[in-house]
Amino acid sequence: MLARQRQENIAQLVREHGSIRVSALTERFDVSHMTIRRDLETLARRGRLDKVHGGAVTAAHDGTAEPAFTEKRSRQVPAKEAIAAAAARLVTPGSAVGLTAGTTTWTLARHLVDVPDITVVTNSVQVAQVLHIHRRRGRTVVLTGGVRTPSDALVGPVAVTALRTLHVDVLFMGVHGMDARSGFTTPNPEEAETNRAMCRSARRTVVLADHTKWNTTGPAGIAPLGAADVLITDSGIDRHGRDVLEHGVGELIVAKPSRSSPRAVSRRPPAPPRPIEGART
């Protein structure tokens, strides 16, 4: 196992268990105590964990950690509702829609339950559950297979293979973080790969990200800012972030967490639809 791969596994174990001892890691990875200590020092410098006597614990402020779905669901609720309402206006009856995993896309799914005759392709267990509970004649839901993450996303080779045969008119993608240099990111490399596959399956990509995602960076890159045909955020975004996004994405929609209508700012004409090969799901 390469050192970087072993370190990622160590960081994941610490996030799952809260703490871990050096002796347990040496036994698990069949390496020396010195090797594990060097790994922990490297991860501590990156802010992935806190090194303590005899082992490591979860970092006090781990920006790369992947919270559970139930934990994220209670964050920034008014902003997510406003973003979801704005996104729902972009969905037309009879269209094929992709939704990645995340609490903002889950909120959007609840806004789509009354839209007739749509096909929804998703790798989110929670999104599929919402649409299953609110069944509607004429609606089709396609749930990819894959390995389930803490955020209830289905990821990995099975999901990516399934997405190669599916095509949607518009993809709504949630992200863990976004900034000018790294673009859109997530803590999970397999989720990043799956999201890239979903982007390739879509004519248009719409990113849904509340203001707290700005200047947050996960270790796995999904796409540059320019990959977003539309980005919907909320009015909590700061002036600098708004300026960067106005110039970085195709169209910026700023939704106010109130009854006010969202404002749209376009800095470049939308790209023409990409040709789609094969049958549409």
Side-chain angles (χ1 to χ4, degrees), residues 123-170:
N123 69 323
S124 168
V125 176
Q126 297 289 344
V127 165
Q129 181 67 9
V130 167
L131 297 174
H132 175 73
I133 292 172
H134 300 278
R135 296 182 183 180
R136 184 184 178 97
R137 181 183 295 273
R139 183 173 63 215
T140 301
V141 179
V142 178
L143 179 64
T144 70
V147 178
R148 193 169 182 170
T149 72
S151 61
D152 283 347
L154 298 177
V155 302
V158 171
V160 171
T161 299
L163 289 165
R164 288 178 184 148
T165 65
L166 301 174
H167 305 279
V168 298
D169 298 303
V170 57

mmCIF file of all heavy atoms in Angstrom, residues 123-170:
data_model
loop_
_atom_site.group_PDB
_atom_site.id
_atom_site.type_symbol
_atom_site.label_atom_id
_atom_site.label_comp_id
_atom_site.label_asym_id
_atom_site.label_seq_id
_atom_site.Cartn_x
_atom_site.Cartn_y
_atom_site.Cartn_z
ATOM 1 N N ASN A 123 -27.895 9.095 -7.257
ATOM 2 C CA ASN A 123 -27.083 8.161 -6.481
ATOM 3 C C ASN A 123 -27.301 8.388 -4.996
ATOM 4 O O ASN A 123 -26.497 7.974 -4.173
ATOM 5 C CB ASN A 123 -25.593 8.312 -6.819
ATOM 6 C CG ASN A 123 -25.012 9.612 -6.327
ATOM 7 O OD1 ASN A 123 -25.684 10.650 -6.359
ATOM 8 N ND2 ASN A 123 -23.763 9.592 -5.884
ATOM 9 N N SER A 124 -28.415 9.038 -4.648
ATOM 10 C CA SER A 124 -28.729 9.367 -3.256
ATOM 11 C C SER A 124 -29.849 8.481 -2.732
ATOM 12 O O SER A 124 -30.974 8.512 -3.252
ATOM 13 C CB SER A 124 -29.143 10.834 -3.131
ATOM 14 O OG SER A 124 -29.715 11.088 -1.861
ATOM 15 N N VAL A 125 -29.558 7.730 -1.683
ATOM 16 C CA VAL A 125 -30.581 6.915 -1.041
ATOM 17 C C VAL A 125 -31.698 7.792 -0.499
ATOM 18 O O VAL A 125 -32.892 7.470 -0.628
ATOM 19 C CB VAL A 125 -29.956 6.082 0.099
ATOM 20 C CG1 VAL A 125 -31.029 5.305 0.854
ATOM 21 C CG2 VAL A 125 -28.889 5.134 -0.445
ATOM 22 N N GLN A 126 -31.337 8.934 0.082
ATOM 23 C CA GLN A 126 -32.332 9.816 0.690
ATOM 24 C C GLN A 126 -33.232 10.466 -0.357
ATOM 25 O O GLN A 126 -34.438 10.607 -0.151
ATOM 26 C CB GLN A 126 -31.627 10.893 1.518
ATOM 27 C CG GLN A 126 -30.830 10.359 2.701
ATOM 28 C CD GLN A 126 -31.717 9.838 3.815
ATOM 29 O OE1 GLN A 126 -32.910 10.120 3.865
ATOM 30 N NE2 GLN A 126 -31.134 9.084 4.733
ATOM 31 N N VAL A 127 -32.655 10.889 -1.481
ATOM 32 C CA VAL A 127 -33.463 11.465 -2.553
ATOM 33 C C VAL A 127 -34.452 10.441 -3.078
ATOM 34 O O VAL A 127 -35.647 10.729 -3.266
ATOM 35 C CB VAL A 127 -32.559 11.987 -3.692
ATOM 36 C CG1 VAL A 127 -33.373 12.257 -4.961
ATOM 37 C CG2 VAL A 127 -31.835 13.253 -3.254
ATOM 38 N N ALA A 128 -33.985 9.221 -3.328
ATOM 39 C CA ALA A 128 -34.866 8.169 -3.823
ATOM 40 C C ALA A 128 -35.996 7.875 -2.831
ATOM 41 O O ALA A 128 -37.142 7.633 -3.238
ATOM 42 C CB ALA A 128 -34.055 6.902 -4.097
ATOM 43 N N GLN A 129 -35.682 7.928 -1.545
ATOM 44 C CA GLN A 129 -36.693 7.661 -0.527
ATOM 45 C C GLN A 129 -37.787 8.722 -0.537
ATOM 46 O O GLN A 129 -38.978 8.409 -0.423
ATOM 47 C CB GLN A 129 -36.033 7.584 0.851
ATOM 48 C CG GLN A 129 -36.980 7.298 1.993
ATOM 49 C CD GLN A 129 -37.582 5.897 1.944
ATOM 50 O OE1 GLN A 129 -37.166 5.065 1.143
ATOM 51 N NE2 GLN A 129 -38.555 5.642 2.798
ATOM 52 N N VAL A 130 -37.405 9.997 -0.669
ATOM 53 C CA VAL A 130 -38.401 11.082 -0.735
ATOM 54 C C VAL A 130 -39.356 10.848 -1.897
ATOM 55 O O VAL A 130 -40.587 10.945 -1.756
ATOM 56 C CB VAL A 130 -37.712 12.452 -0.878
ATOM 57 C CG1 VAL A 130 -38.717 13.529 -1.276
ATOM 58 C CG2 VAL A 130 -37.033 12.844 0.411
ATOM 59 N N LEU A 131 -38.807 10.541 -3.063
ATOM 60 C CA LEU A 131 -39.639 10.366 -4.244
ATOM 61 C C LEU A 131 -40.443 9.079 -4.178
ATOM 62 O O LEU A 131 -41.533 8.979 -4.766
ATOM 63 C CB LEU A 131 -38.757 10.385 -5.490
ATOM 64 C CG LEU A 131 -38.012 11.719 -5.714
ATOM 65 C CD1 LEU A 131 -37.047 11.597 -6.878
ATOM 66 C CD2 LEU A 131 -38.985 12.864 -5.937
ATOM 67 N N HIS A 132 -39.939 8.081 -3.457
ATOM 68 C CA HIS A 132 -40.697 6.839 -3.267
ATOM 69 C C HIS A 132 -41.898 7.081 -2.360
ATOM 70 O O HIS A 132 -43.005 6.585 -2.631
ATOM 71 C CB HIS A 132 -39.790 5.765 -2.661
ATOM 72 C CG HIS A 132 -40.512 4.494 -2.313
ATOM 73 N ND1 HIS A 132 -40.948 3.602 -3.277
ATOM 74 C CD2 HIS A 132 -40.898 3.980 -1.113
ATOM 75 C CE1 HIS A 132 -41.557 2.591 -2.686
ATOM 76 N NE2 HIS A 132 -41.548 2.794 -1.384
ATOM 77 N N ILE A 133 -41.708 7.847 -1.304
ATOM 78 C CA ILE A 133 -42.808 8.136 -0.371
ATOM 79 C C ILE A 133 -43.908 8.922 -1.077
ATOM 80 O O ILE A 133 -45.101 8.671 -0.899
ATOM 81 C CB ILE A 133 -42.282 8.906 0.853
ATOM 82 C CG1 ILE A 133 -41.381 7.993 1.701
ATOM 83 C CG2 ILE A 133 -43.438 9.446 1.695
ATOM 84 C CD1 ILE A 133 -40.659 8.721 2.810
ATOM 85 N N HIS A 134 -43.494 9.900 -1.886
ATOM 86 C CA HIS A 134 -44.449 10.748 -2.614
ATOM 87 C C HIS A 134 -44.585 10.231 -4.048
ATOM 88 O O HIS A 134 -44.192 10.888 -5.008
ATOM 89 C CB HIS A 134 -43.987 12.201 -2.607
ATOM 90 C CG HIS A 134 -43.847 12.782 -1.238
ATOM 91 N ND1 HIS A 134 -44.912 13.288 -0.523
ATOM 92 C CD2 HIS A 134 -42.759 12.916 -0.433
ATOM 93 C CE1 HIS A 134 -44.497 13.723 0.656
ATOM 94 N NE2 HIS A 134 -43.195 13.510 0.732
ATOM 95 N N ARG A 135 -45.143 9.052 -4.191
ATOM 96 C CA ARG A 135 -45.258 8.444 -5.507
ATOM 97 C C ARG A 135 -46.216 9.239 -6.382
ATOM 98 O O ARG A 135 -47.206 9.799 -5.915
ATOM 99 C CB ARG A 135 -45.751 7.002 -5.387
ATOM 100 C CG ARG A 135 -44.784 6.092 -4.654
ATOM 101 C CD ARG A 135 -45.297 4.679 -4.617
ATOM 102 N NE ARG A 135 -44.431 3.797 -3.859
ATOM 103 C CZ ARG A 135 -44.642 2.508 -3.666
ATOM 104 N NH1 ARG A 135 -45.712 1.942 -4.184
ATOM 105 N NH2 ARG A 135 -43.800 1.781 -2.963
ATOM 106 N N ARG A 136 -45.898 9.270 -7.685
ATOM 107 C CA ARG A 136 -46.732 9.988 -8.642
ATOM 108 C C ARG A 136 -46.733 9.220 -9.959
ATOM 109 O O ARG A 136 -45.693 8.775 -10.429
ATOM 110 C CB ARG A 136 -46.207 11.413 -8.850
ATOM 111 C CG ARG A 136 -47.073 12.266 -9.756
ATOM 112 C CD ARG A 136 -46.453 13.624 -9.995
ATOM 113 N NE ARG A 136 -47.268 14.413 -10.898
ATOM 114 C CZ ARG A 136 -48.154 15.315 -10.520
ATOM 115 N NH1 ARG A 136 -48.304 15.565 -9.234
ATOM 116 N NH2 ARG A 136 -48.869 15.992 -11.394
ATOM 117 N N ARG A 137 -47.912 9.110 -10.551
ATOM 118 C CA ARG A 137 -48.032 8.419 -11.829
ATOM 119 C C ARG A 137 -47.215 9.154 -12.887
ATOM 120 O O ARG A 137 -47.251 10.386 -12.981
ATOM 121 C CB ARG A 137 -49.498 8.367 -12.254
ATOM 122 C CG ARG A 137 -49.725 7.630 -13.574
ATOM 123 C CD ARG A 137 -51.184 7.693 -13.965
ATOM 124 N NE ARG A 137 -52.000 6.964 -13.002
ATOM 125 C CZ ARG A 137 -52.262 5.665 -13.048
ATOM 126 N NH1 ARG A 137 -51.717 4.942 -14.029
ATOM 127 N NH2 ARG A 137 -53.030 5.090 -12.162
ATOM 128 N N GLY A 138 -46.475 8.414 -13.685
ATOM 129 C CA GLY A 138 -45.698 9.014 -14.753
ATOM 130 C C GLY A 138 -44.285 9.389 -14.363
ATOM 131 O O GLY A 138 -43.498 9.789 -15.219
ATOM 132 N N ARG A 139 -43.938 9.264 -13.089
ATOM 133 C CA ARG A 139 -42.576 9.596 -12.670
ATOM 134 C C ARG A 139 -41.759 8.314 -12.534
ATOM 135 O O ARG A 139 -42.211 7.326 -11.974
ATOM 136 C CB ARG A 139 -42.586 10.340 -11.334
ATOM 137 C CG ARG A 139 -41.163 10.767 -10.906
ATOM 138 C CD ARG A 139 -41.204 11.646 -9.678
ATOM 139 N NE ARG A 139 -41.754 10.952 -8.531
ATOM 140 C CZ ARG A 139 -42.500 11.516 -7.583
ATOM 141 N NH1 ARG A 139 -42.816 12.783 -7.666
ATOM 142 N NH2 ARG A 139 -42.954 10.809 -6.562
ATOM 143 N N THR A 140 -40.531 8.375 -13.052
ATOM 144 C CA THR A 140 -39.614 7.248 -12.961
ATOM 145 C C THR A 140 -38.403 7.664 -12.144
ATOM 146 O O THR A 140 -37.858 8.748 -12.348
ATOM 147 C CB THR A 140 -39.149 6.805 -14.363
ATOM 148 O OG1 THR A 140 -40.292 6.437 -15.136
ATOM 149 C CG2 THR A 140 -38.188 5.628 -14.276
ATOM 150 N N VAL A 141 -37.985 6.813 -11.212
ATOM 151 C CA VAL A 141 -36.801 7.083 -10.399
ATOM 152 C C VAL A 141 -35.787 5.977 -10.629
ATOM 153 O O VAL A 141 -36.096 4.794 -10.457
ATOM 154 C CB VAL A 141 -37.141 7.176 -8.894
ATOM 155 C CG1 VAL A 141 -35.876 7.428 -8.078
ATOM 156 C CG2 VAL A 141 -38.165 8.264 -8.640
ATOM 157 N N VAL A 142 -34.578 6.360 -11.045
ATOM 158 C CA VAL A 142 -33.495 5.408 -11.274
ATOM 159 C C VAL A 142 -32.442 5.643 -10.196
ATOM 160 O O VAL A 142 -31.840 6.719 -10.118
ATOM 161 C CB VAL A 142 -32.867 5.588 -12.667
ATOM 162 C CG1 VAL A 142 -31.711 4.613 -12.861
ATOM 163 C CG2 VAL A 142 -33.923 5.419 -13.750
ATOM 164 N N LEU A 143 -32.217 4.658 -9.341
ATOM 165 C CA LEU A 143 -31.222 4.736 -8.272
ATOM 166 C C LEU A 143 -30.020 3.885 -8.662
ATOM 167 O O LEU A 143 -30.140 2.685 -8.871
ATOM 168 C CB LEU A 143 -31.814 4.234 -6.954
ATOM 169 C CG LEU A 143 -30.889 4.218 -5.726
ATOM 170 C CD1 LEU A 143 -30.453 5.630 -5.351
ATOM 171 C CD2 LEU A 143 -31.586 3.548 -4.544
ATOM 172 N N THR A 144 -28.871 4.533 -8.778
ATOM 173 C CA THR A 144 -27.663 3.780 -9.129
ATOM 174 C C THR A 144 -27.280 2.858 -7.983
ATOM 175 O O THR A 144 -27.638 3.088 -6.832
ATOM 176 C CB THR A 144 -26.483 4.714 -9.412
ATOM 177 O OG1 THR A 144 -26.062 5.318 -8.180
ATOM 178 C CG2 THR A 144 -26.844 5.791 -10.406
ATOM 179 N N GLY A 145 -26.540 1.827 -8.288
ATOM 180 C CA GLY A 145 -25.960 1.000 -7.234
ATOM 181 C C GLY A 145 -24.684 1.650 -6.729
ATOM 182 O O GLY A 145 -24.353 2.781 -7.076
ATOM 183 N N GLY A 146 -23.951 0.930 -5.904
ATOM 184 C CA GLY A 146 -22.684 1.423 -5.399
ATOM 185 C C GLY A 146 -22.523 1.230 -3.912
ATOM 186 O O GLY A 146 -23.390 0.671 -3.237
ATOM 187 N N VAL A 147 -21.402 1.716 -3.399
ATOM 188 C CA VAL A 147 -21.072 1.629 -1.976
ATOM 189 C C VAL A 147 -21.605 2.865 -1.267
ATOM 190 O O VAL A 147 -21.393 3.997 -1.724
ATOM 191 C CB VAL A 147 -19.549 1.516 -1.790
ATOM 192 C CG1 VAL A 147 -19.189 1.487 -0.306
ATOM 193 C CG2 VAL A 147 -19.024 0.263 -2.485
ATOM 194 N N ARG A 148 -22.250 2.670 -0.134
ATOM 195 C CA ARG A 148 -22.910 3.768 0.584
ATOM 196 C C ARG A 148 -21.908 4.513 1.460
ATOM 197 O O ARG A 148 -21.145 3.906 2.212
ATOM 198 C CB ARG A 148 -24.045 3.210 1.434
ATOM 199 C CG ARG A 148 -25.009 4.242 1.987
ATOM 200 C CD ARG A 148 -26.208 3.527 2.571
ATOM 201 N NE ARG A 148 -27.216 4.440 3.080
ATOM 202 C CZ ARG A 148 -28.427 4.057 3.463
ATOM 203 N NH1 ARG A 148 -28.763 2.769 3.385
ATOM 204 N NH2 ARG A 148 -29.296 4.927 3.922
ATOM 205 N N THR A 149 -21.918 5.852 1.380
ATOM 206 C CA THR A 149 -21.029 6.708 2.170
ATOM 207 C C THR A 149 -21.774 7.248 3.390
ATOM 208 O O THR A 149 -22.992 7.088 3.505
ATOM 209 C CB THR A 149 -20.529 7.896 1.330
ATOM 210 O OG1 THR A 149 -21.625 8.812 1.136
ATOM 211 C CG2 THR A 149 -19.992 7.446 -0.018
ATOM 212 N N PRO A 150 -21.065 7.940 4.332
ATOM 213 C CA PRO A 150 -21.752 8.548 5.473
ATOM 214 C C PRO A 150 -22.828 9.546 5.077
ATOM 215 O O PRO A 150 -23.781 9.767 5.819
ATOM 216 C CB PRO A 150 -20.609 9.240 6.229
ATOM 217 C CG PRO A 150 -19.400 8.444 5.896
ATOM 218 C CD PRO A 150 -19.591 8.022 4.470
ATOM 219 N N SER A 151 -22.684 10.169 3.883
ATOM 220 C CA SER A 151 -23.689 11.128 3.429
ATOM 221 C C SER A 151 -24.793 10.459 2.616
ATOM 222 O O SER A 151 -25.580 11.124 1.951
ATOM 223 C CB SER A 151 -23.036 12.234 2.596
ATOM 224 O OG SER A 151 -22.406 11.690 1.447
ATOM 225 N N ASP A 152 -24.860 9.127 2.667
ATOM 226 C CA ASP A 152 -25.887 8.341 1.981
ATOM 227 C C ASP A 152 -25.805 8.464 0.465
ATOM 228 O O ASP A 152 -26.829 8.394 -0.235
ATOM 229 C CB ASP A 152 -27.292 8.710 2.477
ATOM 230 C CG ASP A 152 -27.592 8.096 3.837
ATOM 231 O OD1 ASP A 152 -26.827 7.211 4.262
ATOM 232 O OD2 ASP A 152 -28.576 8.511 4.481
ATOM 233 N N ALA A 153 -24.592 8.654 -0.056
ATOM 234 C CA ALA A 153 -24.368 8.598 -1.492
ATOM 235 C C ALA A 153 -23.950 7.187 -1.878
ATOM 236 O O ALA A 153 -23.269 6.505 -1.114
ATOM 237 C CB ALA A 153 -23.283 9.590 -1.894
ATOM 238 N N LEU A 154 -24.342 6.758 -3.055
ATOM 239 C CA LEU A 154 -23.886 5.482 -3.612
ATOM 240 C C LEU A 154 -22.777 5.801 -4.613
ATOM 241 O O LEU A 154 -23.004 6.528 -5.589
ATOM 242 C CB LEU A 154 -25.040 4.749 -4.294
ATOM 243 C CG LEU A 154 -26.195 4.368 -3.363
ATOM 244 C CD1 LEU A 154 -27.316 3.703 -4.154
ATOM 245 C CD2 LEU A 154 -25.721 3.468 -2.231
ATOM 246 N N VAL A 155 -21.577 5.283 -4.363
ATOM 247 C CA VAL A 155 -20.409 5.680 -5.137
ATOM 248 C C VAL A 155 -19.615 4.454 -5.570
ATOM 249 O O VAL A 155 -19.919 3.329 -5.195
ATOM 250 C CB VAL A 155 -19.498 6.626 -4.315
ATOM 251 C CG1 VAL A 155 -20.264 7.864 -3.863
ATOM 252 C CG2 VAL A 155 -18.914 5.898 -3.092
ATOM 253 N N GLY A 156 -18.583 4.703 -6.351
ATOM 254 C CA GLY A 156 -17.674 3.641 -6.737
ATOM 255 C C GLY A 156 -17.928 3.128 -8.144
ATOM 256 O O GLY A 156 -18.757 3.664 -8.889
ATOM 257 N N PRO A 157 -17.211 2.063 -8.534
ATOM 258 C CA PRO A 157 -17.269 1.558 -9.915
ATOM 259 C C PRO A 157 -18.668 1.162 -10.380
ATOM 260 O O PRO A 157 -19.005 1.362 -11.547
ATOM 261 C CB PRO A 157 -16.336 0.342 -9.882
ATOM 262 C CG PRO A 157 -15.418 0.589 -8.729
ATOM 263 C CD PRO A 157 -16.220 1.335 -7.717
ATOM 264 N N VAL A 158 -19.477 0.600 -9.500
ATOM 265 C CA VAL A 158 -20.825 0.189 -9.894
ATOM 266 C C VAL A 158 -21.654 1.408 -10.298
ATOM 267 O O VAL A 158 -22.345 1.410 -11.328
ATOM 268 C CB VAL A 158 -21.519 -0.589 -8.755
ATOM 269 C CG1 VAL A 158 -22.988 -0.830 -9.088
ATOM 270 C CG2 VAL A 158 -20.816 -1.917 -8.501
ATOM 271 N N ALA A 159 -21.584 2.465 -9.479
ATOM 272 C CA ALA A 159 -22.330 3.688 -9.786
ATOM 273 C C ALA A 159 -21.829 4.323 -11.073
ATOM 274 O O ALA A 159 -22.618 4.750 -11.925
ATOM 275 C CB ALA A 159 -22.210 4.671 -8.622
ATOM 276 N N VAL A 160 -20.508 4.411 -11.230
ATOM 277 C CA VAL A 160 -19.937 5.038 -12.422
ATOM 278 C C VAL A 160 -20.319 4.265 -13.676
ATOM 279 O O VAL A 160 -20.684 4.859 -14.707
ATOM 280 C CB VAL A 160 -18.402 5.135 -12.287
ATOM 281 C CG1 VAL A 160 -17.766 5.579 -13.605
ATOM 282 C CG2 VAL A 160 -18.033 6.107 -11.168
ATOM 283 N N THR A 161 -20.275 2.945 -13.612
ATOM 284 C CA THR A 161 -20.642 2.127 -14.774
ATOM 285 C C THR A 161 -22.102 2.343 -15.150
ATOM 286 O O THR A 161 -22.444 2.470 -16.342
ATOM 287 C CB THR A 161 -20.387 0.635 -14.480
ATOM 288 O OG1 THR A 161 -18.996 0.445 -14.202
ATOM 289 C CG2 THR A 161 -20.795 -0.229 -15.651
ATOM 290 N N ALA A 162 -22.976 2.407 -14.162
ATOM 291 C CA ALA A 162 -24.402 2.632 -14.440
ATOM 292 C C ALA A 162 -24.622 3.986 -15.105
ATOM 293 O O ALA A 162 -25.415 4.110 -16.043
ATOM 294 C CB ALA A 162 -25.203 2.541 -13.147
ATOM 295 N N LEU A 163 -23.909 5.006 -14.652
ATOM 296 C CA LEU A 163 -24.104 6.359 -15.162
ATOM 297 C C LEU A 163 -23.625 6.517 -16.598
ATOM 298 O O LEU A 163 -24.065 7.428 -17.303
ATOM 299 C CB LEU A 163 -23.397 7.361 -14.250
ATOM 300 C CG LEU A 163 -24.060 7.547 -12.885
ATOM 301 C CD1 LEU A 163 -23.126 8.254 -11.918
ATOM 302 C CD2 LEU A 163 -25.363 8.317 -13.033
ATOM 303 N N ARG A 164 -22.728 5.650 -17.049
ATOM 304 C CA ARG A 164 -22.253 5.739 -18.435
ATOM 305 C C ARG A 164 -23.375 5.488 -19.430
ATOM 306 O O ARG A 164 -23.289 5.899 -20.592
ATOM 307 C CB ARG A 164 -21.129 4.732 -18.669
ATOM 308 C CG ARG A 164 -19.815 5.113 -17.999
ATOM 309 C CD ARG A 164 -18.763 4.053 -18.221
ATOM 310 N NE ARG A 164 -17.537 4.371 -17.510
ATOM 311 C CZ ARG A 164 -16.705 3.465 -17.007
ATOM 312 N NH1 ARG A 164 -16.970 2.169 -17.150
ATOM 313 N NH2 ARG A 164 -15.612 3.828 -16.371
ATOM 314 N N THR A 165 -24.426 4.785 -19.025
ATOM 315 C CA THR A 165 -25.520 4.460 -19.943
ATOM 316 C C THR A 165 -26.735 5.363 -19.742
ATOM 317 O O THR A 165 -27.759 5.161 -20.412
ATOM 318 C CB THR A 165 -25.947 2.994 -19.748
ATOM 319 O OG1 THR A 165 -26.501 2.830 -18.425
ATOM 320 C CG2 THR A 165 -24.775 2.046 -19.928
ATOM 321 N N LEU A 166 -26.655 6.328 -18.821
ATOM 322 C CA LEU A 166 -27.793 7.181 -18.507
ATOM 323 C C LEU A 166 -27.521 8.620 -18.945
ATOM 324 O O LEU A 166 -26.390 9.095 -18.867
ATOM 325 C CB LEU A 166 -28.077 7.141 -17.001
ATOM 326 C CG LEU A 166 -28.383 5.752 -16.427
ATOM 327 C CD1 LEU A 166 -28.490 5.814 -14.910
ATOM 328 C CD2 LEU A 166 -29.664 5.187 -17.021
ATOM 329 N N HIS A 167 -28.565 9.318 -19.379
ATOM 330 C CA HIS A 167 -28.414 10.685 -19.860
ATOM 331 C C HIS A 167 -29.572 11.532 -19.339
ATOM 332 O O HIS A 167 -30.726 11.096 -19.350
ATOM 333 C CB HIS A 167 -28.376 10.720 -21.383
ATOM 334 C CG HIS A 167 -27.316 9.839 -21.964
ATOM 335 N ND1 HIS A 167 -26.002 10.218 -22.054
ATOM 336 C CD2 HIS A 167 -27.375 8.575 -22.449
ATOM 337 C CE1 HIS A 167 -25.295 9.234 -22.578
ATOM 338 N NE2 HIS A 167 -26.102 8.223 -22.820
ATOM 339 N N VAL A 168 -29.278 12.727 -18.875
ATOM 340 C CA VAL A 168 -30.296 13.611 -18.310
ATOM 341 C C VAL A 168 -30.194 14.986 -18.955
ATOM 342 O O VAL A 168 -29.153 15.382 -19.481
ATOM 343 C CB VAL A 168 -30.166 13.725 -16.772
ATOM 344 C CG1 VAL A 168 -30.379 12.378 -16.111
ATOM 345 C CG2 VAL A 168 -28.824 14.329 -16.371
ATOM 346 N N ASP A 169 -31.311 15.723 -18.899
ATOM 347 C CA ASP A 169 -31.329 17.081 -19.436
ATOM 348 C C ASP A 169 -30.583 18.046 -18.529
ATOM 349 O O ASP A 169 -29.871 18.935 -19.007
ATOM 350 C CB ASP A 169 -32.780 17.543 -19.612
ATOM 351 C CG ASP A 169 -33.535 16.675 -20.605
ATOM 352 O OD1 ASP A 169 -33.073 16.574 -21.747
ATOM 353 O OD2 ASP A 169 -34.571 16.105 -20.228
ATOM 354 N N VAL A 170 -30.747 17.880 -17.228
ATOM 355 C CA VAL A 170 -30.102 18.784 -16.278
ATOM 356 C C VAL A 170 -29.707 18.010 -15.033
ATOM 357 O O VAL A 170 -30.464 17.166 -14.540
ATOM 358 C CB VAL A 170 -31.028 19.972 -15.906
ATOM 359 C CG1 VAL A 170 -32.358 19.493 -15.338
ATOM 360 C CG2 VAL A 170 -30.341 20.937 -14.945
#
